[in-house]
Structure formats: C-alpha cells, structure tokens
C-alpha cells in the first residue's frame, strides 16, 4: 500500500483516496511541520506532546513550507535542489515534486489550493504553478531577489516583496500583471494581510521596521519600529509576521534580537517583547489560535507561545537551523 | 494621462500597468586604472574588469528596480593608462553627465580627481583606496568611501585574534610605504585591543621576479630562517600590501604558527566564498554576469552604485543634490549582505561595515566580534572613531 502511494502521481494523490495510517499517531489535535534549513530535514511536532515525533529527510536547504489546503500534503521549497517537494502527510514521506524556478524560497497558494505562486530568488521572477497538473503556467517579472509572498483575502491580489529592490509588488492574479509597487525599508522578507483585507504588513529585515500598507490606496500608512533596552538597533531584524483572525494582535519575529514583538494591531503600538530562542524567524498559529509556534534558527528549537496569556510556555528541540513552520489538524 | 493615473493612485505607489513615462536618466562614471597589481599567487591576479564588474552588476540591479520607478542608470567607464592625467579624465566624465563617479584610484590620484570635479558638483565614491588619511586630514566633502580603511581592516583582524586569545604577535612588514602604513594600523589595533607585538621584522624588497621556475626551493629555505629565533608568539601578522613575501609564509615559519594579515587569514570587505545573509544570491548574479568570482573591489563598487540607486529610489529623483542629501542624511542605510544595515559616518563619509576574515577558501569569521561594545554602533569599534577623527569636511 505504501509503495503504491509513493509511486503514484500527485494528481491522483490529491484527488484519490487518502491513505490514513490509523493508529500510527496518537489522536492529537494538531500537527506542525518545521523545515530545518541546515540538516535538510523536516521535523514533525505533535502539539499534544509538544515534542518532535518524526524527522523526514528532504532535499537540500528546505525553507518555505505549507500544508496544501486539503491538508493531505505538505509542500516544502528545497532551494538548492531548485524544486518544491511534496510530503504525503499520511505516510510522512516525500512523494513528489513541483517544477518551481531556480532557488525557490517562499510560496503561497490560492484559496482553492489549485495555484501555487513561488518566489524564485535567483532570477527575479514569481513562478505560477498549477498544483494538480504539476505544470508551470506562467511567470511574473518582479524586482531583485523576490522573497515574501502573500495573497489578499479576496484572492484578487498577489503580493511579492523583493529584497534588494525594497518593494512590495502588487500583482493582479487574473491578469498576472503588476498593478502597483510600494517602496518599503531595506530587505523586505515577509508579507501578511489582515483577514479583513484592510491592511498589508511587510517586514523589512535590514531596515528594522514593519510597513503597514493600505492595500486599496497602495500607500504606507505607518511604520512600526522596535526598541529593546540594551539591544543595538542593527540586531533588531523583523522577519515573520502573524496576525490573529480578529485582527487585534500581531506577532513579529525579530531575528537576532531573539524576541517576538507583540503589537496592538489596531493602534500599531508594540505592547510587549517575548524572549524566545536565538534568531527567531518564521511562525504559525495552531488552527484554534490558542498557540503560536516560532522557529529559532540558531538555537535549533521552536518556542510555543500561549496566545491568550502572551507567554512562552514550552521549547521544542528540532533539527539544525529551523526556518519555516506550518500547522494543521491531524 | 499617465501622470494623472499616478496621481490618483497616491503617494508611494507607481502604476506600471500602463506604458511608463520617459525614464529619468542617471549617469554614473567609473574611473579606474588600466593595469592591476602583481600578486604572488596566480589565483589572486586581478581580472581586467576588477571593480568595474561589480559596478556593472549594480547598474543591472538598479535598473531592475528602476523600471518600476521610471529611472534608468547607465555606467560610463574610463580607464587611465600610464601617463594619463587623472584630473582631466574625471572632468571629462563629469562633463559627459556623470554626477557620480566610482573611483578606484591610489590616494593622491583620488584627491586630484575629487578636487578637479568639485566645482562641477560631482561626487566621488572611493571604491578602492584604503588609506586612512583620505578619511582624516585629507578628507573631502565630495568623496564618499565604500572601501574600508586600513585601520578598519586591522581592527577587524585584531578583534578576532584577541577573541581567539592569540595575543602575542610577531609582526613582519614589507619595506614599501603601503606596507608600513598597514603595519602602523596593526600596531594601533594591538594597542587598542590588548595584543602585544613581541617583535617586528622588516622583509626588505630587494627586487627580483615574483615568478621563477625553481623559486619554491629557495623560498622553502628562506622563510624558516627569516622567522627563526623570534621570541615566543601565538600568531604571525604580516603587513605586505605590495605582495612581496607574505604569501610565502604559511607552512614555512620556523615555529608552527598561523599566519594572518596580508596572507593566511586576511581581513577584507568581501570574499568570493562569503555565503551568509543572502549573499549567495548576489554571488550567483555576479558569476552569471562575469564568469568569475566577486572580489572586494567588485563589492566596493557594487555597494557604491547601489547606494546611488537606493537614494534615487527613496527620493524618487535622479537629481544630484537630492540623492546626495539623502545619502548624507539620517535615514540612509544600505543592505549589502553583511547581516546588518550599513550607514555612513557623518563626520567623514566612510561607510560603516563588518569586516570579513577569509582564508582564501572560506570566510572564517566576521568582525566586529561579540563583546566589543560601543555606545553608538558596534561597527564603530572598527577604525578611527568620531572622537579621534582629524577630518573637517569641506
């Protein structure tokens, strides 16, 4: 049964019967997949045990990682192999790959989970992939070193940030044309919409700020700045952003500052800094938004934040240089 | 119509769906010398386009960004041959519309070029000369420095050696003026960071070819003897910018000791092996364009051209004064794959930057080292700091 599963094409996997290894895992609520950039593995975390329960070997330099919308697969960009690998969540093995461009890093899916938009750092393009057909169906030329990717809640606008051009590019998903470019501070890494489409947040790693953009007017409304006593300014490098569904609270990973900033998402004021592991990078909520898991690259672990209490409650050891994280129901 | 559309969309956003307006042309000059220096290792022999290749890549990067802003950058290259007048060449570039000139010139030639174009309002970016005096007593208000200084390089090395607890140095210096200047910077670093120079030796350059068919036999006899009977030391620090002897020292010292400075572990602004902080993307772009690895001179020129592009995009203008005011202002910073933003020292227009320590194959470490603190920026633990400066910008 397993062999059959590995050998079949992704299309039939996506739409065929899922292989469920009943009893292989305890009946826990959620499962998190963490890409370990240096060890070329993905760690699987059981959120009931708050422990890594499995390590999956993947290609070289895994970074961007996302569950497919149906929860059956996890996609992981393996940049040094110039592809995106597909992990079957039932067997927890790599079963296929997608034709991304060179050096894929971050990607985003449309709401239906049919189209994948991939930032290819090496050739200044965003590649558009039909997931079911595993085919490249288009490219969009963007700025130098595309990185952050986000899709607007209504699905109409794709955002790509380019690290050396220092812009958020607004791409019409229907025409696949750039409709606007908004300058932000140096080295924009990540983009995140509020779920009501009222704001787009873009983190600038080297600039040290998060730009809050009005997506309708294509204009920066404000920039969130950070100050931590005793911490030099250059060490505060915002990367990952998560905003709660009610748009009240935002969490921003500050990289080598080893902290997650908590921001009142309405007033854009920083209310608290939580000490986590070293070089905190990306993050993901559990689907019930009770917990936020953040990857700490240099300390090789994941911190668990209790969202209601705004406290770090647990640290979980994973592989080397944990980078991205994605969480879904088991 | 297009202008109206841009106006409607609002400040900070630019419409690109429609045909863009005539782009703003921003001319950048590159002024360098025709022939590179002689090196001991064939591998270190500079390419003919050393430096200029970095500027060309940055022009491409600027233009990728520029197409969204209706800005277009061009590079005009000028190479000085033996006997060419540097002032005339600089003036010619400025008169052809280059408001910004990337210069890879020796110190005296750089000053001549800067003074020649001063009343034309042109700004020079020093992407080659590491002389401290260009940022101190001989500083100029129309020269921005992307090359690090000798004192920054020496401090970057010294911090690592002290962190490593290799505090007893055997200093070997060459007999040329540049070698003496580097030795002086190393003495200053030793005093600043608590290292001790146990002995100094001068390696006299008596002429002679760098390449001979059986030279290796001779060198193997010379170098151990030259480093014999030194007092106890942890590390040999060589000051040989002229490339006469330092590369002969590793594995040939009388005592088995690491070699640093001008050979072995070398402080530099860039290395072809540097792959941290997203540098791989830049390295890949460079190799694709130039079919060779990126050097420190290439990086210094790339950074200079990118600074102009960055400022032009921020002020949405190619106008010289607007660009220069932004570069000199408090909001300027540039991302250059060194893990943190780089800014200008406002007292002498030197770009603050981490210093890489490379051994020819790998980047061993990056200074400033942990624990070297500063009240303003840890990057100011490298080189001459504000309270010590002799620069009066004018």
């Amino acid at each position: 049964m397993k062999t059959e599963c590995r050998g079949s094409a992704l299309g039939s996997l996506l739409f065929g019967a899922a292989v469920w290894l009943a009893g292989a895992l305890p009946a826990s609520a959620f499962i998190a997949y963490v890409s370990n950039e240096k060890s070329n593995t993905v760690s699987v975390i059981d959120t009931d045990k708050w422990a890594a329960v499995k390590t999956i070997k993947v290609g070289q330099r895994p970074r961007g990682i996302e569950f497919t919308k149906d929860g059956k697969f996890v996609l992981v960009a393996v940049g040094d192999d110039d592809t995106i690998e597909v992990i079957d969540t039932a067997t927890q093995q790599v079963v296929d790959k997608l034709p991304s461009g060179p050096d894929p890093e971050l990607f985003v899916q449309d709401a239906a989970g049919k189209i994948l938009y991939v930032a290819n750092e090496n050739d200044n393009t965003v590649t558009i992939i039909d997931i079911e057909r595993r085919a490249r169906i288009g490219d969009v030329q963007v700025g130098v070193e595309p990185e952050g990717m986000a899709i607007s809640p209504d699905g109409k606008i794709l955002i790509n940030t380019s690290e050396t051009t220092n812009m958020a590019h607004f791409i019409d998903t229907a025409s696949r044309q750039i409709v606007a470019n908004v300058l932000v501070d140096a080295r924009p890494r990540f983009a995140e919409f509020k779920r009501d489409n009222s704001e787009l947040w873009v983190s600038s790693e080297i600039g040290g700020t998060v730009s809050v953009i009005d997506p309708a007017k294509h204009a920066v409304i404000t920039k969130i700045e950070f100050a931590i006593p005793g911490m030099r300014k250059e060490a505060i490098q915002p990367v990952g952003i998560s905003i709660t569904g009610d748009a009240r609270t935002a969490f921003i990973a500050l990289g080598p500052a080893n902290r997650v900033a908590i921001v009142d998402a309405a007033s854009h004021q920083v209310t608290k800094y939580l000490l986590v592991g070293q070089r905190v990078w990306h993050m993901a909520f559990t689907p019930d938004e009770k917990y936020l898991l953040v990857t700490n690259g240099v300390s090789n672990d994941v911190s668990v934040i209790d969202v209601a209490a705004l406290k770090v409650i647990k640290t979980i050891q994973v592989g080397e240089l944990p980078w991205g994280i994605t969480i879904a129901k088991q | 119509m297009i202008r109206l559309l841009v106006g409607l969309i609002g400040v900070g956003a630019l419409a690109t769906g429609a045909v863009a307006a005539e782009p703003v042309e921003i001319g950048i000059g590159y002024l360098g010398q025709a022939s590179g220096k002689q090196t001991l290792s064939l591998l270190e022999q500079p390419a003919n386009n050393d430096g200029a290749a970095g500027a060309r890549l940055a022009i491409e990067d600027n233009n990728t960004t520029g197409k969204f802003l209706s800005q277009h950058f061009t590079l005009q290259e000028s190479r000085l041959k033996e006997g060419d007048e540097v002032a005339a060449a600089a003036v010619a570039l400025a008169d052809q519309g280059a408001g910004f000139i990337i210069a890879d010139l020796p110190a005296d030639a750089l000053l001549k070029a800067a003074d020649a174009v001063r009343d034309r309002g042109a700004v020079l970016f020093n992407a080659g000369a590491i002389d401290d005096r260009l940022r101190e007593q001989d500083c100029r208000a129309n020269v921005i420095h992307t090359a690090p200084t000798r004192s920054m390089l020496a401090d970057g090395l010294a911090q690592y050696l002290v962190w490593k607890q290799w505090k007893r140095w055997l200093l070997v210096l060459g007999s040329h003026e540049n070698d003496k200047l580097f030795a002086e910077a190393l003495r200053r670093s030793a005093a600043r960071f608590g290292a001790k120079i146990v002995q100094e030796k001068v390696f006299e350059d008596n002429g002679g070819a760098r390449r001979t068919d059986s030279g290796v036999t001779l060198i193997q006899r010379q170098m151990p003897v030259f480093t014999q009977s030194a007092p106890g030391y942890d590390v040999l620090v060589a000051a040989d910018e002229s490339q006469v002897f330092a590369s002969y020292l590793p594995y040939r010292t009388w005592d088995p000791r690491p070699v640093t400075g001008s050979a072995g572990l070398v402080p530099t602004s860039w290395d072809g092996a540097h792959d941290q902080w997203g540098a791989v993307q830049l390295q890949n772009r460079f190799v694709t364009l130039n079919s060779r690895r990126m050097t420190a001179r290439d990086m210094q020129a790339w950074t200079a051209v990118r600074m102009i592009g960055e400022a032009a995009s921020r002020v949405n203008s190619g106008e010289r004064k607007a660009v220069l005011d932004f570069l000199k202002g408090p909001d300027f910073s540039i991302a250059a794959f060194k893990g943190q933003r780089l800014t200008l020292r406002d007292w002498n227009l030197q770009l603050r930057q981490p210093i890489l320590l490379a051994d020819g194959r790998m980047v061993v470490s990056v200074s400033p080292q942990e624990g070297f603190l500063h009240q303003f920026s840890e990057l100011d633990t490298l080189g001459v700091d504000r309270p010590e400066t002799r620069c009066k910008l004018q």
Side-chain angles (χ1 to χ4, degrees), chain A residues 103 121-122 144-145 164-167 169 178 180-184 187 206-207 217-218 232-234 237, chain B residues 9 12-14 16 61 64-65 68-69 277-278 281 284-285 306 310 313-314 337 339-341 377-378:
Chain A
D103 198 9
E121 277 204 307
N122 257 352
V144 183
E145 293 168 29
T164 292
T165 290
N166 301 329
M167 285 179 180
H169 305 287
I178 292 179
N181 303 286
V182 176
L183 264 175
V184 293
R187 216 168 154 76
I206 294 293
K217 292 183 180 152
H218 304 143
R232 64 197 170 90
K233 251 171 94 179
E234 292 93 337
Q237 302 184 348
Chain B
I9 285 172
L14 293 119
T16 52
D61 286 350
T64 303
T65 301
F68 302 116
L69 295 166
W277 304 305
Q281 274 75 50
N284 286 344
R285 285 205 298 282
R306 272 293 301 133
E310 173 70 12
S313 74
R314 295 292 166 196
F337 308 95
Q340 56 181 295
R341 73 186 89 163
S377 164
E378 277 156 33

Side-chain angles (χ1 to χ4, degrees), chain A residues 216-269:
Chain A
K217 292 183 180 152
H218 304 143
V220 174
I221 305 164
T222 185
K223 282 180 185 169
I224 302 168
E225 297 191 19
F226 308 90
I228 301 168
M231 178 75 60
R232 64 197 170 90
K233 251 171 94 179
E234 292 93 337
I236 299 174
Q237 302 184 348
V239 183
I241 303 171
S242 283
I243 306 172
T244 53
D246 61 10
R248 282 193 171 166
T249 311
F251 297 83
I252 299 165
L254 298 180
N258 307 335
R259 281 163 178 82
V260 169
I262 297 166
V263 178
D264 179 325
S267 69
H268 308 125
Q269 299 299 310

Side-chain angles (χ1 to χ4, degrees), chain B residues 138-171:
Chain B
D138 292 333
C139 69
R140 296 286 191 275
N142 68 333
V143 183
I144 291 170
H145 308 269
T146 56
T149 61
R150 274 193 191 89
S151 62
M152 289 164 74
L153 295 167
D155 285 348
L157 176 64
Q159 286 189 4
Y160 179 75
L161 297 183
V162 167
W163 178 84
K164 199 73 193 65
Q165 300 292 335
W166 291 340
K167 294 183 180 175
R168 295 178 303 163
W169 299 359
L170 173 62
L171 177 63

Side-chain angles (χ1 to χ4, degrees), chain B residues 300-322:
Chain B
Q300 287 155 200
W302 182 89
T303 306
V305 174
R306 272 293 301 133
M307 283 169 68
I308 298 162
E310 173 70 12
S313 74
R314 295 292 166 196
V315 297
N316 201 13
S317 163
E319 205 266 311
R320 198 176 306 177
K321 188 175 179 306

Side-chain angles (χ1 to χ4, degrees), chain B residues 262-281:
Chain B
S262 300
L265 190 68
V266 178
T268 180
S269 69
W270 193 254
D271 189 83
H274 178 53
D275 62 358
Q276 297 257 297
W277 304 305
V280 174
Q281 274 75 50

Side-chain angles (χ1 to χ4, degrees), chain A residues 191-234:
Chain A
E192 180 85 348
F193 277 94
K194 274 191 180 170
R195 246 165 271 179
D196 63 0
N197 211 4
S198 62
E199 287 175 3
L200 169 72
W201 292 29
V202 175
S203 61
S204 292
E205 180 191 6
I206 294 293
T209 59
V210 169
S211 295
V212 179
I213 297 168
D214 181 331
K217 292 183 180 152
H218 304 143
V220 174
I221 305 164
T222 185
K223 282 180 185 169
I224 302 168
E225 297 191 19
F226 308 90
I228 301 168
M231 178 75 60
R232 64 197 170 90
K233 251 171 94 179
E234 292 93 337

